[in-house]
Amino acid sequence: MTDSERLRVGIALSLFAHFLLLNEHWQVITPIPPLTISVSLELESSAVTAAQGTGFGINNPSPEAQEQNRIANMKRKAFLQFLTEVETAIHTRRFERGTTDLIGLAQCTFIIQPDGHFAAIDLQKSSGNPQLDAAALYAVRAASGVVKRPKIIGPDPIPMTVQVKYQYGLH
């Protein structure tokens, strides 16, 4: 191909490209207006009220409410501590039957009575090993009544589920 032929092909391609671009129907895209979100806040509640002429403040609870909160916190702490002690009592009795070579996890359920003894002790989920399941149930029965139930948590029965775990080196 000679130089003059290359020039003619270049001009023809350029004219063709210009023809396509000029005959294209171009649209002006208008920008989308920014999204506006309105959030309304309710500033009145039992804890936050408008102070007279000074802005917003938090009400101090009444002495009765403070005492109720203090007692509720004491009950909550005593309840959680009691459940932790029950679980510890069960886990310290896992190997009382000389079963130190077990590996697995059994899930037991029971109800803690007002006197701290357990009722309705049952194997909820088996480990797959009957010896381990029996050892776990034994540990739960052996821990029944060991932990003194605090009076502050009340006399209602407490349903409980505990996972009794066995593995080497857990003695």
Side-chain angles (χ1 to χ4, degrees):
M1 189 178 243
T2 65
D3 287 339
S4 64
E5 290 174 334
R6 281 189 212 126
L7 180 64
R8 285 187 214 142
V9 169
I11 292 172
L13 287 174
S14 176
L15 289 173
F16 181 71
H18 281 88
F19 174 77
L20 288 177
L21 290 173
L22 290 175
N23 284 335
E24 183 67 32
H25 298 288
W26 297 97
Q27 296 179 354
V28 177
I29 300 175
T30 56
I32 299 172
L35 181 63
T36 304
I37 299 174
S38 297
V39 177
S40 62
L41 299 174
E42 181 66 42
L43 297 176
E44 293 182 24
S45 72
S46 60
V48 179
T49 59
Q52 295 178 359
T54 61
F56 294 100
I58 297 176
N59 280 343
N60 288 329
S62 67
E64 296 84 20
Q66 286 179 345
E67 182 63 15
Q68 288 175 350
N69 286 340
R70 188 183 69 77
I71 291 171
N73 284 334
M74 286 174 50
K75 283 182 180 180
R76 191 173 12 265
K77 286 178 184 177
F79 184 76
L80 292 174
Q81 180 65 32
F82 174 66
L83 294 182
T84 300
E85 290 174 7
V86 166
E87 193 168 352
T88 300
I90 292 168
H91 282 96
T92 57
R93 287 161 177 76
R94 287 176 298 174
F95 299 107
E96 283 187 358
R97 298 177 86 185
T99 51
T100 59
D101 60 339
L102 297 174
I103 297 176
L105 181 76
Q107 190 166 324
C108 299
T109 59
F110 53 93
I111 298 172
I112 304 173
Q113 299 297 328
D115 65 355
H117 286 84
F118 306 159
I121 299 170
D122 191 32
L123 182 67
Q124 183 182 28
K125 187 175 180 184
S126 173
S127 66
N129 179 339
Q131 187 182 5
L132 189 145
D133 294 344
L137 286 169
Y138 174 82
V140 172
R141 288 186 189 104
S144 178
V146 170
V147 180
K148 184 175 180 344
R149 183 174 169 153
K151 295 219 183 282
I152 193 169
I153 65 175
D156 293 337
I158 303 170
M160 188 161 178
T161 301
V162 67
Q163 292 182 338
V164 185
K165 185 177 183 179
Y166 288 86
Q167 72 183 45
Y168 292 127
L170 276 183
H171 316 304

